[in-house]
Amino acid sequence: MTLRHRASYSLAPRLSALLAIAAVALASVLVSAAPADAAGTRVISGTFSIPTSGVQSFWAETVSVTLYTESGDYYTSASLNTSAKTFSISGVDNGKYRLKFEASFLCGEDAGCRSANLLSGYYGGGNGTLIDVTSANKTGLTYAYAAGRTISGTISLGSGGECRVEERAVRNGLHSRARRL
């Protein structure tokens, strides 16, 4: 007579262990796949000022604030409140950027085109300080526009002399306006 030992197996402990391993694996995949911050959620904002003496009332209306990528490519322009002298750029992807502040022409139907005598420049001076929004918004930035330069004087010619006089505005090394006087 042969005795056979018949073991009784329960699948419950093995199934529980298998499910626990699967749950841990799934949780680690979900945690590693979740982005630290969603793209396009950063904000860059601040204020700008213009000189207080020798300023015409329309100068603040001519300013623009532009965001460039670290490599120098155009990214977007800021929303401005020229009366409060504030700027804001929202929806910015995580990364590093440069802000450029410029003044341009203001043209109207009744007054023609007018130009503010303000110098363009980057936030932080020179080629610009990189603004890092990799992990947080950047608010409270400030930029002070500098007044442009002027020259004046008198031109005298001897009798019978001929003279041609032009007024020129130069921005960023380019002639942006010329008119005969």
Side-chain angles (χ1 to χ4, degrees):
M1 171 185 244
T2 313
L3 290 176
R4 288 188 178 176
H5 176 65
R6 192 171 184 161
S8 77
Y9 291 102
S10 171
L11 292 178
R14 289 185 181 173
L15 187 56
S16 293
L18 185 60
L19 286 175
I21 291 170
V24 168
L26 180 61
S28 69
V29 167
L30 291 176
V31 168
S32 66
D37 291 299
T41 61
R42 297 288 180 225
V43 173
I44 298 173
S45 65
T47 60
F48 63 89
S49 62
I50 59 175
T52 55
S53 64
V55 174
Q56 295 186 30
S57 60
F58 72 89
W59 283 15
E61 298 173 43
T62 70
V63 303
S64 64
V65 180
T66 309
L67 190 66
Y68 292 91
T69 63
E70 184 174 7
S71 62
D73 296 323
Y74 170 84
Y75 188 82
T76 192
S77 295
S79 297
L80 300 173
N81 179 330
T82 56
S83 54
K85 297 183 180 69
T86 61
F87 67 91
S88 180
I89 305 170
S90 57
V92 178
D93 291 334
N94 296 343
K96 295 179 182 178
Y97 300 90
R98 287 184 174 82
L99 274 176
K100 186 170 187 180
F101 293 79
E102 298 178 276
S104 61
F105 293 99
L106 179 65
C107 297
E109 292 178 20
D110 59 339
C113 291
R114 300 177 289 176
S115 174
N117 192 12
L118 297 172
L119 298 177
S120 300
Y122 284 94
Y123 172 76
N127 293 326
T129 298
L130 283 175
I131 300 165
D132 188 351
V133 292
T134 303
S135 59
N137 296 331
K138 290 294 181 191
T139 59
L141 302 177
T142 59
Y143 181 82
Y145 279 93
R149 309 301 183 254
T150 60
I151 187 169
S152 63
T154 303
I155 299 173
S156 299
L157 299 173
S159 69
E162 194 174 309
C163 180
R164 185 178 100 186
V165 178
E166 290 184 354
E167 177 186 51
R168 294 197 179 268
V170 179
R171 296 204 191 289
N172 300 325
L174 301 173
H175 294 286
S176 57
R177 178 181 65 171
R179 71 178 174 146
R180 284 195 178 183
L181 302 175

